[in-house]
Amino acid sequence: MKKFTAIFLTCLFLVIAAFSLTACAKNEPLKLDDKQATFYNGWLSKIKDDTPITKIALLGSHDSGTSELHSIYKAMTITQNYTIGEQLSFGCRYFDIRVNKKKNGELNIFHGPDTSGCSFESIAKDIVVFMQTNKSEFLILDFQHFKNDSQEDVIKALKDTGLLDFAIQNNTSLTDLDFIASLTLKDVRGKVIITWGNNSANSSEYPYLFRRNNDSCTIENAVLDSLYNEVENKKSTDEFIKEALPKYMEHILSNQNRITVLQGQLTLPSLLGNLEKLEKKHNQNMSNFIRNMESNASYLNAVNIIMRDFVGSDLEKTNSVLHLNLAKGIVKSDNVTEFEAFTKAQ
């Protein structure tokens, strides 16, 4: 019996390792020509200043810092092939960040058990460089999860890297929810909005941290909703599009006074699997759903952030989302033709 168990565990390890190897080959990012690079790095400069930030269609990145995870579970935990710095160059403006504090005090990205990714400080520095050179843009940094009491260390890193200098602060008499709802694009150009998944970060002590909701969205007055139901996201791509997304959009339609995230990625239905292969089956279906929002007036008006896996795997991931801003009527009139040319379906 012991021999059988040992053989089984060895085989299981080899299967997991095989999945990991196929998932983690670092692909070269898509090559953008000079005109494309200029457009995607500064696309928000084409959007009208008076647009509420909750009405702009933004591309978001799920588990954003996972491109350099180190674990035998790589195939099941890596959701991005490119760094946050690279994702920025493809027009992504929302990032899902999860930070672990290691025993030696280092801050690293994590996703799932026994994973260790790139340093949080390197991510923060990349964001600072981007914000220094792209003053028309704004970002939403969504710190969903912390591990090993990393919150205070993350705050210190935000200060030490200079990233906190770009953070929007609520120094008004408005509640955080009302404050965020009042912001227009003009108010946030050259800034970052930091949302925080931890109750200890109260707004009086940290006016630059804004409370995000939990997965089931049961926290009152949270400024960001990112509804997630694991059962729904484990469905097949066709079932997810048909059954789950309408439920998520119904929630967004009821919460248009806050930042909202539509989670467009699938979750592995079992312990063994490959997220990149799963996304390849789902990718076109999800992009088609996004494009078709143009013909659904209520969806189009309400949609804000759309979160995807493997940002940069093709330009349609970016273009399908950015194109919605044309249908929303918030692209500056002088930039409509250019916006249409860059965001048309590939």
Side-chain angles (χ1 to χ4, degrees):
M1 185 66 181
K2 290 182 178 179
K3 183 177 180 180
F4 173 80
T5 301
I7 293 173
F8 173 78
L9 291 175
T10 300
C11 291
L12 180 61
F13 176 84
L14 291 173
V15 169
I16 292 173
F19 273 114
S20 300
L21 289 172
T22 58
C24 296
K26 174 73 172 179
N27 298 318
E28 287 297 317
L30 292 171
K31 299 296 183 182
L32 301 177
D33 61 35
D34 290 344
K35 290 183 179 179
Q36 288 174 321
T38 298
F39 176 80
Y40 290 115
N41 275 312
W43 72 267
L44 278 166
S45 66
K46 323 294 182 185
I47 305 298
K48 297 174 182 177
D49 279 345
D50 61 354
T51 307
I53 63 169
T54 57
K55 296 299 181 182
I56 305 172
L58 301 168
L59 174 62
S61 166
H62 171 238
D63 270 298
S64 307
T66 59
S67 65
E68 298 175 18
L69 283 181
H70 301 289
S71 169
I72 63 169
Y73 306 103
K74 287 180 179 180
M76 295 170 279
T77 54
I78 286 184
T79 62
Q80 305 295 335
N81 278 334
Y82 307 129
T83 67
I84 285 177
E86 290 167 332
Q87 293 171 48
L88 281 164
S89 70
F90 284 96
C92 193
R93 298 294 177 262
Y94 161 96
F95 298 95
D96 161 15
I97 302 174
R98 312 177 187 202
V99 187
N100 173 41
K101 182 180 177 181
K102 300 175 73 174
K103 290 182 179 180
N104 63 4
E106 291 180 1
L107 297 176
N108 291 82
I109 299 300
F110 76 97
H111 180 208
D114 190 32
T115 58
S116 178
C118 63
S119 73
F120 172 67
E121 286 86 352
S122 68
I123 289 174
K125 289 175 182 177
D126 281 350
I127 292 172
V128 167
V129 170
F130 179 84
M131 298 309 298
Q132 288 172 337
T133 55
N134 297 279
K135 300 183 186 301
S136 64
E137 308 304 286
F138 86 98
L139 307 180
I140 297 172
L141 308 181
D142 186 11
F143 289 85
Q144 290 201 30
H145 302 290
F146 300 95
K147 195 173 182 180
N148 295 324
D149 297 320
S150 61
Q151 299 96 324
E152 291 298 327
D153 295 86
V154 170
I155 292 173
K156 183 178 184 301
L158 290 172
K159 295 176 181 177
D160 291 346
T161 59
L163 181 51
L164 204 57
D165 296 339
F166 298 91
I168 284 284
Q169 298 191 31
N170 181 8
N171 296 314
T172 74
S173 60
L174 296 173
T175 66
D176 281 353
L177 182 58
D178 289 339
F179 174 73
I180 290 295
S182 74
L183 294 176
T184 65
L185 181 53
K186 182 179 180 179
D187 298 323
V188 299
R189 289 196 191 279
K191 301 290 184 180
V192 299
I193 297 173
I194 301 175
T195 59
W196 205 254
N198 183 271
N199 282 323
S200 65
N202 64 78
S203 57
S204 59
E205 185 178 0
Y206 303 104
Y208 46 83
L209 302 181
F210 297 90
R211 188 71 169 96
R212 79 181 310 278
N213 223 324
N214 53 25
D215 284 349
S216 54
C217 296
T218 59
I219 299 173
E220 293 185 5
N221 298 317
V223 306
L224 181 146
D225 270 14
S226 184
L227 184 64
Y228 173 74
N229 183 329
E230 184 178 9
V231 173
E232 297 290 352
N233 286 69
K234 283 185 174 180
K235 292 179 175 178
S236 69
T237 177
D238 291 336
E239 290 175 331
F240 178 75
I241 298 291
K242 183 179 179 180
E243 300 171 10
L245 288 179
K247 295 176 185 177
Y248 286 164
M249 284 307 302
E250 182 179 354
H251 176 80
I252 289 173
L253 286 166
S254 301
N255 291 277
Q256 296 183 57
N257 63 328
R258 67 193 75 203
I259 299 167
T260 57
V261 180
L262 176 63
Q263 299 214 19
Q265 77 287 345
L266 295 182
T267 300
L268 287 171
S270 64
L271 291 177
L272 291 178
N274 184 307
L275 282 168
E276 190 167 13
K277 289 183 178 179
L278 185 68
E279 171 62 13
K280 284 180 179 178
K281 294 179 181 178
H282 176 58
N283 183 27
Q284 192 59 55
N285 281 348
M286 188 63 205
S287 293
N288 289 342
F289 177 87
I290 294 168
R291 287 274 179 188
N292 289 335
M293 283 185 174
E294 186 171 356
S295 61
N296 185 321
S298 59
Y299 281 12
L300 177 65
N301 180 62
V303 71
N304 189 192
I305 298 162
I306 302 176
M307 190 160 69
R308 303 291 304 272
D309 279 346
F310 300 102
V311 169
S313 60
D314 62 49
L315 278 178
E316 179 60 4
K317 267 201 174 76
T318 301
N319 293 341
S320 59
V321 177
L322 268 56
H323 189 81
L324 294 178
N325 293 299
L326 284 166
K328 283 173 174 279
I330 61 175
V331 177
K332 295 175 182 177
S333 58
D334 292 346
N335 298 116
V336 167
T337 300
E338 179 188 17
F339 217 89
E340 288 175 336
F342 279 104
T343 64
K344 64 185 179 181
Q346 299 294 306

